[in-house]
Amino acid sequence: MSSTWGEKVKISVFGESHGNGIGVVIDGLPSGFKIDRERLLVQVGRRAPGGDLTSTPRKESDLPKIMSGVLNGVTTGAPLCAVIKNTNTRSGDYANLMTCPRPGHSDYTAFVKYNGFNDISGGGHFSGRLTAPLVFAGGICRQILEEKGIKIGGHISEIAGIRDKSFDPVNIDSQLIDRLSSEKFPLIDKSVEEKMRNAVEEARLDLDSVGGIVECAVIGLPAGLGGPMFGGVEGLIASAIFGVPAVKGIEFGKGFGLAQMRGSQSNDPFEYSDGRVVTKTNNCGGILGGITNAMPVVFRACIKPTPSIAKEQDTVDLQKKCNAKLSVQGRHDPCIVPRAVSVIEACTAVALMNL
C-alpha cells in the first residue's frame, strides 16, 4: 500500500484515520528555507475537522510535530517528517463495515485488494483524514512558491447546485487570492454562503450529504513550464489532485465546455501587453501543449457527496453472502467541499514544486 508521489519533490503519506497518528515525509525540499509556522498552521486549520456545521463533529487540533528536516525553523535539506496525532477516535462506530461495506466508499475494494487485513476504522488509510498531512506538505511548498511570486488560491465554486462567481480567467487579483487562501468557507461572492449552508443543513437533517466543485487558480507562473504528452502540467496537477479521496473529476479552463464551441470561439487570441505576450481570453486555462503560457492556470475539481451517510442504503453482507441494509454510524461531513478547498490548493502547490 504505497502512498508516495512526486519526483523532484517527493511526498510519502502514512498512517490511518484511527491509528496513533498520521503524517508525511517530504524529500527534495531546498535547504535554508525559513518556514513561517503561523502561516502554515492557518492552512492546517482550514482543513481541520469540527470547526463548522458543514463538517464532521469529530474535533482534532491537527497540530503537526516536525520530527526531522528542520532546525531552528529552517529546512536542513534532509527529509522532512511531520506527525499529526489522532486524539478523538471512536472505532466502535465502524465495527460492522468490514462485513457490510459502505456504498460509494473503498470498503469493498480494499477488502478484496488486501484480503480483509486493511484497517477499516474511520476508513483507515483511505480516509479523508489523510489529507491533513497533504495540507501540511502543501503549506510548506506554497511558501516556497510565493517567494518566487507564484500564488495559489481556491474557492467553493458550487455546493448542491448553488454557485459562486467564477474567477476572471484573464485577470485574477492577487489580493483576492490572498483572501480566499486564508478562509475556511472561501467564496468570491459572500452573498451565496447562506444558501449553500442551508443546502448542507437540509441534507444533514435528512441523514444525507451533498457534493460540489472547487475552483482553483495559480497566478505568477512563467511561460515555458511543463512539457508535451505525459510531461504536461495538466497531467501533473491532475495526478496530485486525484490523490484526494473525494475527487471524481477535473477540468482546466473551459474544460468540457470546449466541446460545445467552434475553434474560432475556443482559441485564445494572442496580443502584446506591456511588452509581454498574453491571451485575450483564457479558455485553455493557462496551459497549451502541456506547457504554461504565463496566463493564470485555472481548473475545477468535482467533489463527490460524502459516502458515509446515516440514511439506510442497500449493501451486501460479505460474511453471510447475502443482500443487506446499512445505516452508517459515526461522525461524518454532510459536505466535504469547504474543507477540500485547502487540500486542492495544497496538492497544487506540491505538484508545481515538481516543475
Side-chain angles (χ1 to χ4, degrees):
M1 190 183 291
S2 174
S3 294
T4 299
W5 187 91
E7 293 183 2
K8 295 179 180 177
V9 175
K10 181 183 294 184
I11 61 171
S12 297
V13 178
F14 59 87
E16 291 87 23
S17 178
H18 285 199
N20 289 328
I22 54 178
V24 63
V25 177
I26 314 171
D27 287 291
L29 290 176
S31 61
F33 181 79
K34 186 172 180 59
I35 297 172
D36 187 327
R37 181 173 173 81
E38 294 305 313
R39 291 178 58 210
L40 186 58
L41 292 180
V42 167
Q43 297 306 318
V44 172
R46 292 172 69 208
R47 195 225 67 95
D52 192 282
L53 286 176
T54 61
S55 79
T56 170
R58 174 182 177 179
K59 292 187 177 182
E60 296 278 7
S61 64
D62 280 0
L63 291 176
K65 182 176 182 180
I66 296 177
M67 311 299 288
S68 65
V70 176
L71 182 63
N72 298 322
V74 178
T75 57
T76 65
L80 193 161
C81 176
V83 175
I84 298 171
K85 289 288 186 181
N86 291 326
T87 60
N88 188 0
T89 61
R90 292 196 330 214
S91 299
D93 292 335
Y94 300 84
N96 65 328
L97 299 183
M98 186 64 80
T99 302
C100 297
R102 287 169 286 185
H105 209 285
S106 63
D107 298 341
Y108 172 67
T109 52
F111 175 86
V112 174
K113 175 78 173 179
Y114 300 106
N115 301 308
F117 289 104
N118 57 294
D119 184 352
I120 200 71
S121 301
H125 192 68
F126 294 86
S127 170
R129 176 123 185 87
L130 274 294
T131 60
L134 282 178
V135 172
F136 171 84
I140 293 175
C141 290
R142 74 191 298 161
Q143 289 186 26
I144 297 172
L145 291 168
E146 285 175 3
E147 283 208 342
K148 301 177 182 294
I150 299 165
K151 289 189 175 184
I152 302 166
H155 69 109
I156 302 167
S157 176
E158 183 177 322
I159 285 180
I162 301 164
R163 296 181 177 178
D164 186 16
K165 290 180 179 178
S166 297
F167 282 120
D168 178 340
V170 176
N171 297 299
I172 301 178
D173 184 59
S174 177
Q175 292 183 338
L176 174 62
I177 293 291
D178 290 341
R179 175 174 72 80
L180 294 174
S181 62
S182 65
E183 294 179 348
K184 288 191 174 184
F185 204 98
L187 292 166
I188 295 176
D189 179 7
K190 289 290 188 180
S191 69
V192 300
E193 180 172 351
E194 185 177 0
K195 291 181 180 178
M196 288 183 175
R197 288 186 176 277
N198 288 342
V200 175
E201 180 64 5
E202 182 179 336
R204 187 185 71 82
L205 293 175
D206 197 31
L207 308 181
D208 217 329
S209 63
V210 292
I213 297 172
V214 172
E215 185 177 47
C216 188
V218 185
I219 59 175
L221 286 171
L225 298 178
M229 297 188 71
F230 308 116
V233 176
E234 294 107 326
L236 188 69
I237 292 175
S239 174
I241 297 299
F242 276 115
V244 182
V247 172
K248 295 302 289 184
I250 189 169
E251 64 174 358
F252 290 81
K254 286 292 184 181
F256 286 98
L258 295 172
Q260 302 167 3
M261 299 181 180
R262 290 189 172 186
S264 57
Q265 298 171 309
S266 67
N267 292 342
D268 298 311
F270 291 108
E271 66 176 358
Y272 273 103
S273 176
D274 298 326
R276 295 174 58 243
V277 175
V278 298
T279 58
K280 293 183 179 181
T281 55
N282 193 19
N283 296 327
C284 69
I287 304 166
L288 290 168
I291 301 170
T292 57
N293 66 358
M295 297 297 288
V297 168
V298 182
F299 67 89
R300 285 163 296 282
C302 167
I303 311 295
K304 72 176 183 179
T306 314
S308 298
I309 57 175
K311 185 181 286 289
E312 188 176 78
Q313 300 177 84
D314 291 326
T315 186
V316 293
D317 189 313
L318 297 172
Q319 192 173 42
K320 298 179 181 178
K321 299 188 185 304
C322 64
N323 295 329
K325 299 288 186 179
L326 177 68
S327 177
V328 179
Q329 305 303 309
R331 299 162 293 175
H332 305 283
D333 299 74
C335 180
I336 203 71
V337 180
R339 295 172 63 204
V341 177
S342 62
V343 185
I344 298 298
E345 294 172 358
C347 288
T348 304
V350 174
L352 294 177
M353 283 289 288
N354 279 270
L355 291 174

